[in-house]
Amino acid sequence: MSGPQKSGVIVYSNNIKRLSDFYTGMFNMTLLRETDDFISVGDSDFNIVIHTPPIKIPEHHFNTVKIFLTVESLEDARGRVEKLGGEALAGEWSNPVFSVCNISDPDGNHIQIREFKL
C-alpha cells in the first residue's frame, strides 16, 4: 500500500499498542505507521487507524469504531449530509495529504470524511 488509504476504519483505544498487536497478529496486517497518538495497520485492501481517543472514553455511549471515507469536496459533502438526514459536525482538520471533518449518519454514527489534496 502506498500512501494513506481512501477508506477504512478508525478504532479508538486507551491501549493502542495492544490493539495494534491484536490486528497484526490476528489478521496478518502490517504496521504502516506509528506515532504517539496513533498506529496505522493494514494490507493492500484495508486500513485500520488505531487512535488515542480525543476525549476520555466513557464506559457507555461512546462509539469506539468510526469509518472513514473519501469525498471529492468536504464543502459539498457537508452541504449534502443534512439533506440526507445526517448532520455536519463542527471542526475541520488538515495534514499535508488530506483535510478531514466529521459527519453523522441518520442513526447518529460518526463518519470521518476525507478530501485528498492534489
Side-chain angles (χ1 to χ4, degrees):
M1 179 172 73
S2 63
Q5 289 281 57
K6 295 192 180 231
S7 59
V9 66
I10 296 169
V11 179
Y12 292 113
S13 174
N14 288 321
N15 188 334
I16 62 175
K17 177 65 175 142
R18 180 186 67 185
L19 211 51
S20 168
D21 290 345
F22 172 82
Y23 284 108
T24 56
M26 184 74 188
F27 301 106
N28 297 317
M29 292 186 164
T30 303
L31 175 67
L32 303 172
R33 185 163 181 223
E34 183 172 2
T35 72
D36 291 339
D37 296 327
F38 75 89
I39 299 173
S40 179
V41 299
D43 57 30
S44 61
D45 296 322
F46 196 70
N47 181 217
I48 300 173
V49 179
I50 304 161
H51 207 297
T52 302
I55 61 171
K56 183 178 179 195
I57 297 179
E59 290 185 33
H60 302 291
H61 309 295
F62 183 80
N63 188 357
T64 58
V65 176
K66 176 171 56 172
I67 62 172
F68 62 87
L69 299 164
T70 297
V71 296
E72 291 293 319
S73 163
L74 291 181
E75 184 178 343
D76 290 348
R78 291 174 71 99
R80 280 193 322 272
V81 69
E82 291 186 17
K83 294 176 188 170
L84 296 169
E87 180 183 358
L89 304 175
E92 187 172 311
W93 302 268
S94 192
N95 65 36
V97 179
F98 53 80
S99 296
V100 302
C101 67
N102 292 309
I103 61 171
S104 66
D105 68 17
D107 286 344
N109 298 302
H110 288 200
I111 302 163
Q112 181 187 89
I113 54 176
R114 296 177 170 195
E115 177 184 331
F116 277 76
K117 300 173 182 177
L118 298 177

